[in-house]
Amino acid sequence: MAVRYVQTCRLPTPFGVFDMHGFEEPDTGKEHIALTLGDLESDEPMLARTHSECLTGDALYSMRCDCGYQLEAALRSIAREGRGILMYLRQEGRGIGLLNKIRAYKLQDEGADTVEANERLGFAADLRDYSMCKDMLGHLGIRSLKLMTNNPRKVDALRSLGIDVVERVAIHVGRNPHNEHYLNTKQSKLGHWLETHQDDDPA
């Protein structure tokens, strides 16, 4: 078991009133949450996003990435659909942690791209793990997903866990002069599906 269920409560947000479900990794004590809205028992595929923690983007409004923009757009899309799940995974900086992300940002200030910065610090370009998603979805009884992502590796990772991703929904938001190089690097080196035009939220 990657995670164990802890508790559920209501979470009012500007986008709607979600149910917040807490999960914990037994081996590490690391905590993750899932926000759900609407009927979880339907067999219809559920609009979903797996979102890895980004303190700088999600909480501090950083324009160096598109994370905060994607988080808000995903919640708005779930609220508009009336049914969905957002799994918020505590793996900061694509898995390297907050302080190492600051070190990586310093290297980017000096000319490295996001992949080169991680590698100079001795890390792989992306250390994220999605194994907890299978347990979270299994506990909630969610069988299939319409996944909001631009990352083909994320789709492949979830499918390799046996999660039924029936559709990929683009989430092109937040491009600005501060993250232009970052987004282009994700496209050229990590294979992300990106577009020059950025929508306000996913279709």
Side-chain angles (χ1 to χ4, degrees):
M1 176 183 291
V3 293
R4 65 177 183 86
Y5 168 72
V6 177
Q7 190 54 272
T8 296
C9 68
R10 292 172 64 254
L11 185 72
T13 76
F15 315 101
V17 180
F18 291 80
D19 288 325
M20 181 166 66
H21 314 271
F23 297 86
E24 182 181 43
E25 295 182 15
D27 295 337
T28 66
K30 189 178 290 186
E31 299 162 339
H32 310 280
I33 62 169
L35 299 182
T36 62
L37 185 70
D39 181 11
L40 302 185
E41 297 181 1
S42 171
D43 289 331
E44 290 296 313
M46 176 170 273
L47 187 62
R49 176 162 176 79
T50 65
H51 188 93
S52 295
E53 179 181 27
C54 177
L55 178 70
T56 49
D58 298 340
L60 300 178
Y61 308 101
S62 170
M63 297 175 71
R64 297 186 68 136
C65 63
D66 54 348
C67 302
Y69 302 99
Q70 290 185 333
L71 176 61
E72 182 173 335
L75 290 173
R76 248 189 324 199
S77 292
I78 290 170
R80 185 167 57 237
E81 179 131 328
R83 181 172 177 266
I85 179 170
L86 185 139
M87 290 170 279
Y88 195 90
L89 310 178
R90 304 296 299 279
Q91 42 189 3
E92 179 77 47
R94 295 204 300 272
I96 68 174
L98 179 59
L99 296 184
N100 280 322
K101 183 166 82 168
I102 294 172
R103 294 185 179 102
Y105 276 172
K106 177 60 175 175
L107 291 174
Q108 291 173 46
D109 289 342
E110 296 169 354
D113 65 35
T114 183
V115 171
E116 292 166 346
N118 275 28
E119 290 174 345
R120 288 185 194 177
L121 292 171
F123 300 108
D126 193 341
L127 292 173
R128 288 177 294 182
D129 171 30
Y130 300 101
S131 58
M132 68 287 289
C133 296
K134 183 173 183 179
D135 290 342
M136 295 165 82
L137 293 168
H139 173 81
L140 296 169
I142 298 169
R143 299 171 185 82
S144 58
L145 307 179
K146 298 182 293 183
L147 188 67
M148 290 182 278
T149 186
N150 303 324
N151 184 353
R153 298 183 186 192
K154 188 181 292 187
V155 175
D156 292 343
L158 294 185
R159 285 176 173 163
S160 73
L161 292 166
I163 297 169
D164 187 14
V165 180
V166 301
E167 181 182 347
R168 200 269 305 184
V169 179
I171 183 165
H172 298 306
V173 291
R175 184 181 288 269
N176 66 73
H178 300 283
N179 66 22
E180 187 84 20
H181 183 53
Y182 164 81
L183 294 176
N184 290 340
T185 299
K186 288 207 297 184
Q187 183 175 32
S188 64
K189 292 192 173 183
L190 299 176
H192 285 218
W193 296 297
L194 297 179
E195 296 177 359
T196 300
H197 172 70
Q198 298 280 284
D199 301 323
D200 289 335
D201 53 44

